Amino acid sequence: MTASTTSRALSIETSAIGRDFGSGKTLNRAVGALSLEIPHGELFGLIGPDGAGKTTLLRMMAGLLPPTRGTVRVEGFDPFGKEADHARDVVGLVPQEHSLYGDLTVGENLDFFADLYGLDGEELRTRRERLMSITRLGTFLDRRAAQLSGGMYKKLAVACALLHQPDVLLLDEPTNGVDPPSRRELWELLYEFVDQGMTIVVTTPYMDEATRCHRVALMDRGEIIAMDAPERLVASLDAAVLEVSLASVPNARERATALVESSELVIASAPLGASLRVVVESRNEAALAKALEGLGTLSRTAPSFEDLFLTAIARREKTAATKEAA
Amino acid sequence: MTKSIVVEGLGRRFGDFVAVRDVSFHVQKGEIFGYLGANGAGKSTTIRMLSGLLAPSSGHARVAGHDISKAPDKVKASIGYMSQKFSLYLDLTVRENLEFFGGIYGRWGRALDRRVEETLESIGMRELASTSTAALPGGLRQRLALGSALFHQPPIVFLDEPTAGVDPASRREFWKLIRGISSAGTTVFVTTHYMDEAEYCARIGLMVAGTLVALDTPAALKKQWVPGRILRLEGQGLVRALPAVRGLGGVVEAQSFGNGVHVRFDPARTGDEAIVASVRALPAVAVHSVEAVEANLEDVFLAAADAKAEKAIRGAA
């Protein structure tokens, strides 16, 4: 692929890109106006709750859904301009929904995609065997895609997209329902590809996978609310992440759990072994300690990516609720 | 404590294929029991047998006091079941879906109305009773599916990947409900691929290729299966140096993780400083930061799966 006019330092560049659905009263701004710069060889994650706009953004990057405003360039090409064909050549997308032929077998689906991309020869054979061994689909080559479990189907869809190594790979929740061993192997494969210069954008609801990305954008209701390396985002969390050491009184755990789960002060909580893990705004730490008096004592503990995510979303909801009330 | 589920030497074959092999465990009343395993490890086959839907080829199990082979209908009446592809009628409202399930379980009139109200309350969806199910986001549909599974107040509920594809905030809400029904005495048997959810379980059984290879609390499993210390290193050239890192003395495992690599080693054979020095000495490698990290259940899962694979290879040789 020859370089286009714009800088080749960036693999994907969006400028105030946005997409609306519906109109008038039912107008839904699925994606507001997002500007992103993703360099070559980056593994970039889009993280957010249902309806955040992650899929809509990916589909615009893939050239499948025209934006309502703004622009996108992939490897320098505009997927909605004269260079649409070039853009399509360099991008691979694995959608969330079914993308395979259910009545074809695993092997036939692979053959179909190899044909589609015009692939053959020794390299195809090697790559195909490698993908089958990584995804452990090799023993199921004769099974129809429609008869695969959810996780196996996902693995096959990703394998089909990886048959031709695109410059830019867009993966929409590629690991839903995929078991941990295959998931980890899939990530190792992705690392290998980005190391060779492939750019990968992935959406995921798994928080541990968010931390596997080089950089992530936290999305909510069509906006990016934070964007950085995951460990830097976690380090920047200004809320208090606390562990409750339970007192030895009857039913301490049940009572503390009930209190924490119903408390207005608490942003998020979860059991942690025999104790509890709680996230509160720093200013509310003392108030929570008081509320838990006699049941347990609080100590600070290291925040996780999930703490960061839940705090960011909870704060946005609070702000939205305050605005609505005003 | 009373045992809610007792499984002894349970097995199931499909032709030559052994889906479940000689599995034994028990689950206490009110316990949250996690059943983990790869796709095709035998989790769903086990659940189908314990639900009275599939006869075992060997072994026994009692669910809520009923023998699954001799009294499968009594078993079915004693359990609630919710799967990844939960079945709700999208063209019905939330209340109509619950009424439909109530009808299936033979409730009618005032008893039905009362139970519908109770269920709406328990899943926190009273205000959404007249909403069309099709208009609900994934997280709320999932709560409604749980309400339907619990409608007839079964003492045991089987949840087969109930949270697949649901965002973290909704998943936490869902688990609050699960903890609520568990502390009210309902036994919860759950499968999941989310390791953070596995942490919420009192005990975990880990299935590898049809065999139960591990069974304990999350903390005990980590201690047993992922011994050693893990360092996270960030810097340059680390991903390419992974094969060399794996060959260093004392290193058990090394893998990429985001902008860094995680190196697990045996502290009896080497130490933090020695490991970092050896990595730094590799060609074209720079280490900028070092941090100790904790093992997680995914590490346990992979270690157990590897051990089983190794045993199978050795057994065959």
Side-chain angles (χ1 to χ4, degrees):
Chain A
M1 206 50 53
T2 52
S4 181
T5 45
T6 51
S7 157
R8 290 301 312 267
L10 288 177
S11 176
I12 305 175
E13 192 176 6
T14 72
S15 172
I17 199 169
R19 173 72 202 203
D20 301 340
F21 293 107
S23 62
K25 271 191 184 161
T26 60
L27 180 81
N28 168 22
R29 276 169 76 98
V31 172
L34 305 183
S35 296
L36 283 171
E37 295 186 341
I38 303 176
H40 289 111
E42 184 163 73
L43 215 171
F44 188 87
L46 295 172
I47 319 295
D50 295 341
K54 308 182 295 284
T55 300
T56 304
L57 181 57
L58 273 196
R59 295 176 68 198
M60 290 192 286
M61 287 175 175
L64 294 174
L65 182 75
T68 309
R69 59 195 152 267
T71 57
V72 55
R73 297 189 88 83
V74 180
E75 298 293 320
F77 304 117
D78 175 0
F80 302 100
K82 283 189 209 123
E83 304 140 334
D85 287 348
H86 292 305
R88 250 163 238 157
D89 282 346
V90 296
V91 178
L93 169 76
V94 180
Q96 231 182 93
E97 65 272 25
H98 287 187
S99 56
L100 304 171
Y101 290 93
D103 54 343
L104 297 187
T105 65
V106 169
E108 287 165 347
N109 266 292
L110 289 164
D111 294 342
F112 173 84
F113 281 93
D115 272 355
L116 190 70
Y117 302 131
L119 307 171
D120 56 15
E122 192 53 39
E123 206 189 334
L124 169 68
R125 262 196 299 284
T126 317
R127 203 180 293 159
R128 187 179 147 142
E129 268 169 34
R130 174 110 202 282
L131 288 167
M132 288 302 94
S133 116
I134 284 168
T135 52
R136 298 198 188 89
L137 285 169
T139 48
F140 299 100
L141 284 174
D142 295 327
R143 192 178 288 192
R144 285 176 202 275
Q147 280 154 10
L148 296 174
S149 72
M152 282 162 74
Y153 188 100
K154 278 278 175 192
K155 287 195 267 186
L156 179 59
V158 174
C160 287
L162 285 172
L163 271 181
H164 88 129
Q165 296 184 338
D167 296 349
V168 176
L169 181 64
L170 309 173
L171 301 168
D172 198 2
E173 301 201 353
T175 56
N176 270 356
V178 176
D179 57 67
S182 302
R183 219 159 72 202
R184 191 174 282 195
E185 280 164 0
L186 213 57
W187 276 92
E188 281 179 5
L189 188 71
L190 298 187
Y191 283 126
E192 216 172 279
F193 287 135
V194 292
D195 190 51
Q196 292 162 14
M198 188 188 284
T199 308
I200 299 180
V201 182
V202 60
T203 71
T204 177
Y206 293 90
M207 293 295 111
D208 60 327
E209 292 192 344
T211 62
R212 285 177 182 268
C213 297
H214 295 148
R215 206 154 57 103
V216 296
L218 273 192
M219 289 185 69
D220 185 39
R221 286 173 254 183
E223 291 171 36
I224 289 178
I225 54 179
M227 179 158 62
D228 207 334
E231 56 275 16
R232 271 205 289 277
L233 284 177
V234 172
S236 71
L237 178 65
D238 54 358
V241 182
L242 304 163
E243 191 181 332
V244 184
S245 306
L246 294 166
S248 41
V249 293
N251 300 324
R253 189 183 163 134
E254 288 74 13
R255 284 158 64 199
T257 305
L259 192 149
V260 158
E261 291 193 345
S262 62
S263 170
E264 290 285 319
L265 300 169
V266 172
I267 296 170
S269 66
L272 176 76
S275 80
L276 283 172
R277 182 188 175 86
V278 183
V279 187
V280 293
E281 298 292 357
S282 302
R283 62 174 184 279
N284 291 333
E285 191 176 340
L288 181 69
K290 191 143 193 283
L292 281 167
E293 219 167 66
L295 283 177
T297 51
L298 299 175
S299 56
R300 290 254 183 165
T301 183
S304 68
F305 193 87
E306 189 167 356
D307 296 328
L308 166 88
F309 174 87
L310 293 169
T311 305
I313 301 294
R315 283 180 181 162
R316 296 248 314 161
E317 274 171 10
K318 207 159 197 181
T319 317
T322 317
K323 264 188 208 155
E324 212 164 281
Chain B
M1 266 199 191
T2 8
K3 292 190 176 85
S4 191
I5 303 175
V6 179
V7 178
E8 279 165 9
L10 196 67
R12 174 70 206 203
R13 285 174 173 276
F14 295 102
D16 290 339
F17 178 67
V18 183
V20 173
R21 185 192 301 271
D22 194 20
V23 165
S24 302
F25 62 87
H26 63 259
V27 183
Q28 305 285 0
K29 181 177 183 303
E31 185 175 8
I32 302 179
F33 184 83
Y35 204 53
L36 271 52
N39 306 122
K43 302 187 302 289
S44 294
T45 303
T46 309
I47 289 185
R48 284 168 63 205
M49 288 192 280
L50 296 182
S51 311
L53 296 172
L54 181 72
S57 315
S58 55
H60 308 275
R62 294 182 78 79
V63 174
H66 306 296
D67 188 301
I68 58 165
S69 306
K70 290 176 194 146
D73 288 337
K74 283 192 176 148
V75 169
K76 281 179 215 161
S78 313
I79 60 145
Y81 173 78
M82 172 185 168
S83 82
Q84 186 184 352
K85 299 166 193 152
F86 40 76
S87 46
L88 294 171
Y89 289 93
L90 293 185
D91 51 341
L92 298 185
T93 65
V94 167
R95 180 191 303 279
E96 285 164 347
N97 261 297
L98 290 176
E99 284 169 353
F100 173 80
F101 277 92
I104 289 184
Y105 291 117
R107 305 254 184 147
W108 57 280
R110 299 234 318 257
L112 174 64
D113 292 345
R114 201 166 50 233
R115 186 64 197 138
V116 167
E117 290 309 317
E118 277 171 16
T119 306
L120 285 171
E121 180 70 36
S122 69
I123 57 175
M125 292 182 72
R126 186 168 265 171
E127 268 121 65
L128 296 165
S130 311
T131 307
S132 150
T133 305
L136 296 175
L140 286 175
R141 280 190 204 176
Q142 172 207 39
R143 272 207 252 171
L144 177 58
L146 180 65
S148 308
L150 293 170
F151 193 91
H152 59 300
Q153 298 166 292
I156 299 167
V157 63
F158 289 94
L159 308 173
D160 195 0
E161 291 188 40
T163 56
V166 174
D167 72 66
S170 307
R171 271 165 46 208
R172 282 218 174 178
E173 286 301 314
F174 186 79
W175 274 89
K176 269 191 202 171
L177 288 178
I178 300 292
R179 284 193 288 277
I181 61 171
S182 146
S183 49
T186 306
T187 306
V188 178
F189 187 105
V190 60
T191 74
T192 180
H193 287 321
Y194 293 96
M195 294 299 116
D196 55 342
E197 292 184 353
E199 294 275 359
Y200 299 161
C201 299
R203 283 187 309 145
I204 289 168
L206 185 55
M207 290 287 285
V208 177
T211 308
L212 186 68
V213 297
L215 176 71
D216 216 324
T217 62
L221 287 176
K222 283 183 220 167
K223 218 174 217 172
Q224 185 196 344
W225 288 94
V226 201
R229 187 171 160 76
I230 306 174
L231 290 182
R232 173 182 175 82
L233 309 181
E234 285 183 34
Q236 253 120 46
L238 287 165
V239 175
R240 284 180 198 196
L242 277 176
V245 173
R246 290 185 186 117
L248 295 174
V251 169
V252 184
E253 187 190 32
Q255 55 147 333
S256 291
F257 206 103
N259 297 305
V261 297
H262 288 188
V263 183
R264 180 156 67 91
F265 63 91
D266 177 359
R269 291 184 56 200
T270 182
D272 289 14
E273 279 167 29
I275 284 287
V276 176
S278 318
V279 173
R280 280 210 166 105
L282 295 170
V285 166
V287 177
H288 300 151
S289 76
V290 180
E291 185 193 356
V293 294
E294 300 273 314
N296 57 32
L297 278 174
E298 187 179 294
D299 297 318
V300 171
F301 198 128
L302 295 169
D306 281 353
K308 163 86 181 175
E310 210 166 281
K311 214 165 139 191
I313 292 162
R314 270 199 232 123

